[in-house]
Short mmCIF file of all heavy atoms in Angstrom, two decimals:
data_model
loop_
_atom_site.label_atom_id
_atom_site.label_comp_id
_atom_site.label_asym_id
_atom_site.label_seq_id
_atom_site.Cartn_x
_atom_site.Cartn_y
_atom_site.Cartn_z
N LEU A 9 12.27 12.53 -1.13
CA LEU A 9 12.84 12.39 -2.46
C LEU A 9 13.64 13.66 -2.72
O LEU A 9 13.08 14.76 -2.78
CB LEU A 9 11.75 12.23 -3.52
CG LEU A 9 12.23 12.18 -4.97
CD1 LEU A 9 13.16 10.98 -5.18
CD2 LEU A 9 11.06 12.11 -5.91
N LEU A 10 14.94 13.51 -2.82
CA LEU A 10 15.82 14.63 -3.07
C LEU A 10 16.51 14.39 -4.41
O LEU A 10 17.22 13.41 -4.56
CB LEU A 10 16.86 14.74 -1.95
CG LEU A 10 16.28 14.85 -0.54
CD1 LEU A 10 17.37 14.64 0.50
CD2 LEU A 10 15.62 16.19 -0.35
N ILE A 11 16.28 15.27 -5.35
CA ILE A 11 16.86 15.11 -6.68
C ILE A 11 18.02 16.08 -6.83
O ILE A 11 17.84 17.29 -6.67
CB ILE A 11 15.79 15.34 -7.76
CG1 ILE A 11 14.65 14.34 -7.57
CG2 ILE A 11 16.41 15.24 -9.15
CD1 ILE A 11 13.45 14.58 -8.44
N ILE A 12 19.18 15.53 -7.10
CA ILE A 12 20.39 16.33 -7.20
C ILE A 12 20.98 16.14 -8.60
O ILE A 12 21.13 15.02 -9.06
CB ILE A 12 21.45 15.87 -6.16
CG1 ILE A 12 20.88 15.88 -4.75
CG2 ILE A 12 22.71 16.71 -6.26
CD1 ILE A 12 20.46 17.21 -4.22
N GLY A 13 21.31 17.23 -9.25
CA GLY A 13 21.92 17.17 -10.57
C GLY A 13 23.42 17.04 -10.49
O GLY A 13 24.03 17.10 -9.42
N GLY A 14 24.04 16.86 -11.62
CA GLY A 14 25.48 16.64 -11.70
C GLY A 14 26.33 17.85 -11.36
O GLY A 14 27.54 17.73 -11.19
N ALA A 15 25.72 19.02 -11.22
CA ALA A 15 26.50 20.22 -10.93
C ALA A 15 26.81 20.38 -9.44
O ALA A 15 27.52 21.30 -9.06
CB ALA A 15 25.77 21.46 -11.45
N LEU A 16 26.29 19.50 -8.59
CA LEU A 16 26.60 19.58 -7.16
C LEU A 16 28.04 19.13 -6.96
O LEU A 16 28.40 17.99 -7.22
CB LEU A 16 25.65 18.70 -6.34
CG LEU A 16 25.96 18.62 -4.84
CD1 LEU A 16 25.94 20.00 -4.21
CD2 LEU A 16 24.97 17.69 -4.16
N ARG A 17 28.85 20.05 -6.50
CA ARG A 17 30.27 19.74 -6.29
C ARG A 17 30.47 18.87 -5.06
O ARG A 17 29.74 19.00 -4.08
CB ARG A 17 31.06 21.04 -6.16
CG ARG A 17 31.06 21.85 -7.45
CD ARG A 17 31.80 23.17 -7.26
NE ARG A 17 33.08 22.99 -6.61
CZ ARG A 17 34.26 22.91 -7.24
NH1 ARG A 17 34.31 22.99 -8.54
NH2 ARG A 17 35.37 22.76 -6.54
N HIS A 18 31.46 18.01 -5.13
CA HIS A 18 31.74 17.10 -4.02
C HIS A 18 32.22 17.82 -2.77
O HIS A 18 32.15 17.29 -1.68
CB HIS A 18 32.75 16.03 -4.45
CG HIS A 18 34.13 16.57 -4.64
ND1 HIS A 18 34.51 17.20 -5.80
CD2 HIS A 18 35.20 16.58 -3.82
CE1 HIS A 18 35.77 17.59 -5.69
NE2 HIS A 18 36.21 17.22 -4.51
N ASP A 19 32.70 19.06 -2.93
CA ASP A 19 33.22 19.81 -1.78
C ASP A 19 32.21 20.80 -1.20
O ASP A 19 32.56 21.62 -0.35
CB ASP A 19 34.53 20.51 -2.14
CG ASP A 19 34.38 21.49 -3.29
OD1 ASP A 19 33.29 21.55 -3.92
OD2 ASP A 19 35.35 22.21 -3.58
N ASN A 20 30.96 20.72 -1.61
CA ASN A 20 29.92 21.61 -1.10
C ASN A 20 29.34 21.00 0.18
O ASN A 20 28.25 20.42 0.20
CB ASN A 20 28.83 21.83 -2.15
CG ASN A 20 27.88 22.94 -1.78
OD1 ASN A 20 27.70 23.25 -0.61
ND2 ASN A 20 27.27 23.53 -2.79
N ALA A 21 30.09 21.15 1.26
CA ALA A 21 29.75 20.48 2.53
C ALA A 21 28.36 20.86 3.02
O ALA A 21 27.63 19.99 3.52
CB ALA A 21 30.80 20.82 3.59
N ALA A 22 27.96 22.12 2.90
CA ALA A 22 26.66 22.55 3.42
C ALA A 22 25.52 21.77 2.77
O ALA A 22 24.59 21.33 3.46
CB ALA A 22 26.48 24.05 3.20
N VAL A 23 25.58 21.59 1.47
CA VAL A 23 24.50 20.88 0.77
C VAL A 23 24.54 19.39 1.08
O VAL A 23 23.50 18.77 1.36
CB VAL A 23 24.58 21.12 -0.76
CG1 VAL A 23 23.58 20.25 -1.49
CG2 VAL A 23 24.33 22.59 -1.06
N TRP A 24 25.71 18.77 1.06
CA TRP A 24 25.81 17.34 1.36
C TRP A 24 25.34 17.03 2.77
O TRP A 24 24.62 16.06 2.99
CB TRP A 24 27.24 16.83 1.14
CG TRP A 24 27.59 16.71 -0.30
CD1 TRP A 24 28.40 17.54 -1.01
CD2 TRP A 24 27.11 15.72 -1.22
NE1 TRP A 24 28.45 17.12 -2.32
CE2 TRP A 24 27.67 16.01 -2.47
CE3 TRP A 24 26.27 14.63 -1.11
CZ2 TRP A 24 27.43 15.23 -3.61
CZ3 TRP A 24 26.03 13.85 -2.23
CH2 TRP A 24 26.61 14.16 -3.46
N GLU A 25 25.74 17.86 3.72
CA GLU A 25 25.33 17.63 5.11
C GLU A 25 23.82 17.78 5.28
O GLU A 25 23.19 17.00 5.99
CB GLU A 25 26.10 18.56 6.04
CG GLU A 25 27.56 18.18 6.14
CD GLU A 25 28.45 19.23 6.78
OE1 GLU A 25 27.95 20.32 7.14
OE2 GLU A 25 29.66 18.95 6.92
N LYS A 26 23.22 18.75 4.60
CA LYS A 26 21.76 18.93 4.66
C LYS A 26 21.05 17.74 3.99
O LYS A 26 20.06 17.23 4.51
CB LYS A 26 21.38 20.24 3.96
CG LYS A 26 19.92 20.55 3.97
CD LYS A 26 19.46 20.95 5.35
CE LYS A 26 18.02 21.45 5.29
NZ LYS A 26 17.52 21.85 6.58
N LEU A 27 21.57 17.29 2.86
CA LEU A 27 20.99 16.14 2.16
C LEU A 27 21.00 14.91 3.06
O LEU A 27 19.99 14.22 3.18
CB LEU A 27 21.79 15.88 0.88
CG LEU A 27 21.33 14.75 -0.02
CD1 LEU A 27 21.60 15.11 -1.47
CD2 LEU A 27 22.02 13.45 0.31
N ILE A 28 22.10 14.66 3.71
CA ILE A 28 22.22 13.50 4.59
C ILE A 28 21.27 13.62 5.78
O ILE A 28 20.61 12.66 6.16
CB ILE A 28 23.69 13.31 5.02
CG1 ILE A 28 24.53 12.88 3.80
CG2 ILE A 28 23.82 12.30 6.16
CD1 ILE A 28 26.02 13.03 3.98
N ALA A 29 21.18 14.82 6.34
CA ALA A 29 20.27 15.04 7.47
C ALA A 29 18.82 14.82 7.04
O ALA A 29 18.03 14.21 7.77
CB ALA A 29 20.46 16.44 8.03
#
Side-chain angles (χ1 to χ4, degrees):
L9 176 61
L10 305 167
I11 301 172
I12 306 297
L16 175 58
R17 294 177 48 98
H18 70 279
D19 59 353
N20 191 334
V23 173
W24 286 105
E25 289 167 358
K26 181 72 172 180
L27 182 146
I28 291 164

